[in-house]
Amino acid sequence: MTDMITQVVSFKDKPAIARASAILEAGNLVAAATETVYGLAADATNDIAVKKIYKVKGRPSNNPLICHVCDVSMADSIVHINETAKHLMEKFWPGPLTFVLPKREPTQIAATVSAGLPTIAVRCPKHPAMQNLIQALNRPIAAPSANPSGKLSPTSAQDVVSGLQGKIELVIDGGRTDLGIESTIISIDQYNTIKLLRPGTITADEIAEAAGQEILDNNDHHITAPGQLSSHYAPNAQIRLDATVKQEGEYLIGFGNIMGDRNLSDHANLAEAARNLFQTIRIADREADKIAIAPIPMVGIGIAINDRIKRAAAPRPPETNEGQPA
């Protein structure tokens, strides 16, 4: 794939959406804002295009992708939706909740999207940048985070450009993302059991209340959804967790009354901390070789924040020709 100039255009520019749709139609990639993080988009029905996502990111082929759809009807065309899933979709969509459900057979979705699994992950994004793009293409869009695999997820168009400059033609700029971390992922099986595969800003308690049943933790160590690898969201710097004071050479990311060099939320607001998380780690990574992060409460959205920073701090596997895990 030859290098190109990566252009940034506003999602409010209607010709830009049409151009992005044409790029996808031709089997190529664009990046677009969602309410969670920026996504690297391909036509989910084009296997050659989907394989370009893995190549551009350096993503392992066993790590499945999320199919972004414009509504429940489009989701129903590619996965089996039971009453529980339908109820939760109506409650939380459009929004940051991804469902891993049995795929319909035969399926129009490229085999590479599901990484050989009998399920497909589906989400209906809220941000008009991705919504308008799906509607313009009129097909599901496969889109992981628009960053080199294993690295910090992008929460602005500039983050995308810094990681993928020259590898994609277009970034649809929707401003800084509202939520700042990736979607919550759940699975619902044929027995109506709901498992939490990845925590996010929609919490397990909120899902349990809406579903009227318990949400189980995922004890399966096999990869069944994005974001489950132990090392992920990694800056170049080493990270130390649960820090109350900084040590020599560290950049301290604070929370609440632990002020630090920069604070995720001096009011101890977990939603604000999530929104600021990746951006703040990026800033710290430019300033120091070692990063310390203050304790984050393991409640509500704090569970998702702790999931991200634990993976960011995990030992990094050696790089391969495929790049780091995503």
Side-chain angles (χ1 to χ4, degrees):
M1 189 180 298
T2 57
D3 281 0
M4 62 191 80
I5 297 173
T6 301
Q7 294 185 319
V8 177
V9 294
S10 171
F11 78 97
K12 296 178 181 178
D13 181 357
K14 288 185 179 179
I17 296 293
R19 178 183 166 198
S21 177
I23 291 170
L24 296 183
E25 188 79 51
N28 293 312
L29 311 180
V30 300
T34 79
E35 71 275 23
T36 57
V37 300
Y38 277 67
L40 181 60
D43 176 356
T45 69
N46 184 332
D47 202 55
I48 293 173
V50 173
K51 286 176 179 174
K52 289 179 182 178
I53 289 177
Y54 286 87
K55 182 176 181 181
V56 165
K57 283 178 62 72
R59 183 182 179 94
S61 59
N62 67 335
N63 200 356
L65 306 175
I66 294 174
C67 270
H68 292 69
V69 297
C70 61
D71 54 26
V72 176
S73 177
M74 185 178 280
D76 190 51
S77 72
I78 60 175
V79 293
H80 293 283
I81 300 174
N82 64 19
E83 287 302 313
T84 298
K86 184 178 179 183
H87 172 68
L88 292 174
M89 287 174 180
E90 290 172 347
K91 168 74 173 176
F92 294 109
W93 277 9
L97 181 59
T98 295
F99 296 78
V100 173
L101 298 169
K103 62 183 175 183
R104 292 192 179 275
E105 294 287 4
T107 180
Q108 61 179 308
I109 300 302
T112 309
V113 170
S114 55
L117 297 170
T119 53
I120 293 177
V122 292
R123 179 168 97 83
C124 178
K126 188 175 183 178
H127 197 289
M130 188 66 84
Q131 262 290 341
N132 293 345
L133 187 56
I134 298 166
Q135 292 175 30
L137 186 66
N138 198 29
R139 289 193 290 278
I141 286 176
S145 55
N147 58 295
S149 190
K151 297 299 185 180
L152 290 166
S153 296
T155 57
S156 70
Q158 186 53 50
D159 291 345
V160 178
V161 172
S162 68
L164 301 180
Q165 172 69 268
K167 295 183 177 182
I168 58 174
E169 184 176 338
L170 199 67
V171 179
I172 302 176
D173 188 355
R176 187 176 162 205
T177 59
D178 290 336
L179 302 179
I181 59 174
E182 303 81 2
S183 62
T184 306
I185 302 179
I186 59 173
S187 66
I188 305 178
D189 65 16
Q190 67 268 34
Y191 305 109
N192 221 39
T193 302
I194 306 176
K195 288 184 179 179
L196 180 67
L197 304 183
R198 180 176 73 185
T201 54
I202 295 176
T203 67
D205 288 343
E206 291 174 312
I207 297 166
E209 182 178 358
Q213 68 181 79
E214 183 183 8
I215 309 301
L216 303 180
D217 289 331
N218 180 42
N219 296 317
D220 186 351
H221 297 295
H222 295 92
I223 296 173
T224 55
Q228 293 184 313
L229 293 171
S230 58
S231 178
H232 206 358
Y233 319 110
N236 294 316
Q238 295 297 314
I239 292 181
R240 181 170 67 92
L241 304 179
D242 297 322
T244 54
V245 294
K246 75 174 181 177
Q247 298 174 359
E248 185 178 354
E250 287 183 333
Y251 187 107
L252 176 60
I253 296 174
F255 177 78
N257 59 9
I258 300 175
M259 294 308 297
D261 295 291
R262 195 175 184 95
N263 200 297
L264 293 174
S265 173
D266 53 12
H267 300 293
N269 181 297
L270 290 169
E272 181 182 27
R275 184 171 190 259
N276 290 333
L277 180 65
F278 289 137
Q279 181 191 52
T280 303
I281 294 177
R282 281 179 185 276
I283 292 169
D285 199 32
R286 292 195 293 265
E287 296 291 329
D289 295 328
K290 294 184 285 185
I291 299 171
I293 303 179
I296 307 293
M298 278 289 287
V299 295
I301 298 173
I303 295 171
I305 297 172
N306 277 290
D307 172 78
R308 302 312 191 272
I309 60 178
K310 178 183 177 182
R311 294 178 195 275
R316 290 86 184 271
E319 291 197 33
T320 68
N321 291 333
E322 285 189 300
Q324 292 190 7

